[in-house]
Amino acid sequence: MDTRELFYYIYQKSVTAEKHYLPWALSMLEHEQNSLSLSILASLRPPYNLFEVEDYFQRTLKELSLLKPSEQECTDYLIYTRLQTIVQHEERALTEANHLYTMFIELDCPTKLVGWLEISDMIDDYQYGDNYFNITDEIIHTTIMKEAKSQL
């Protein structure tokens, strides 16, 4: 996990030890970053004390001289990586489209993500509605791929 992705979840106040801090710490170690606090953070086991986890995270930032990225930088990075995932792994297009729609809601509807609202509505109509427009899996995937490529 990239540091910008971790900070995105911190900014959104949805960060957890298990889903975010620990995978980030392991990723940093895999990328040959090393510090005492990072090693301790990566080795923590449940039950997690979030105060302890965040303390080791802050210590790691200082030990590795990592700067806190801006919220906009984190958001842009996560959107870009989700778009790349759609283009490179078409089988994950629907899942990533749902993540982008969730980001649209969480970020108070930024205009650059409005296309994902329309795609979400299309998916909902197909899965749960009357499917008035005769939407198919192929149409949904084609629309998702087209939107992702247009935003990259």
Side-chain angles (χ1 to χ4, degrees):
M1 172 182 291
D2 187 272
T3 301
R4 293 166 291 187
E5 182 177 355
L6 173 60
F7 269 102
Y8 172 82
Y9 293 108
I10 292 170
Y11 284 124
Q12 294 304 309
K13 296 178 177 48
S14 61
V15 69
T16 66
E18 192 169 55
K19 290 183 180 179
H20 305 105
Y21 285 116
L22 289 144
W24 173 81
L26 293 171
S27 175
M28 294 294 284
L29 289 171
E30 288 170 0
H31 288 95
E32 299 183 12
Q33 297 289 320
N34 201 7
S35 78
L36 178 61
S37 296
L38 179 63
S39 296
I40 293 170
L41 178 59
S43 66
L44 293 175
R45 298 287 172 245
Y48 301 110
N49 176 330
L50 195 55
F51 295 109
E52 178 184 32
V53 170
E54 289 178 344
D55 181 56
Y56 281 115
F57 172 68
Q58 291 300 324
R59 290 180 189 193
T60 299
L61 292 178
K62 288 178 186 168
E63 290 169 10
L64 297 177
S65 300
L66 297 174
L67 300 176
K68 180 179 177 180
S70 71
E71 186 172 1
Q72 187 62 52
E73 183 181 350
C74 297
T75 300
D76 291 346
Y77 171 79
L78 198 55
I79 291 169
Y80 179 76
T81 57
R82 294 210 184 281
L83 293 171
Q84 276 190 318
T85 300
I86 290 171
V87 171
Q88 295 171 359
H89 304 281
E90 191 172 338
E91 71 279 1
R92 293 175 52 189
L94 195 59
T95 301
E96 294 301 322
N98 285 327
H99 287 303
L100 286 164
Y101 170 73
T102 301
M103 288 179 73
F104 174 79
I105 299 302
E106 289 172 347
L107 298 171
D108 200 23
C109 312
T111 55
K112 67 181 168 185
L113 291 179
V114 76
W116 299 102
L117 173 63
E118 295 165 3
I119 289 170
S120 179
D121 288 344
M122 181 189 302
I123 293 167
D124 286 348
D125 187 45
Y126 173 69
Q127 291 179 335
Y128 310 111
D130 59 7
N131 199 8
Y132 179 77
F133 296 106
N134 296 317
I135 299 167
T136 64
D137 277 333
E138 185 177 327
I139 291 170
I140 291 171
H141 277 17
T142 301
T143 305
I144 291 170
M145 296 301 290
K146 183 178 176 183
E147 183 67 22
K149 287 177 182 176
S150 75
Q151 290 187 11
L152 279 176

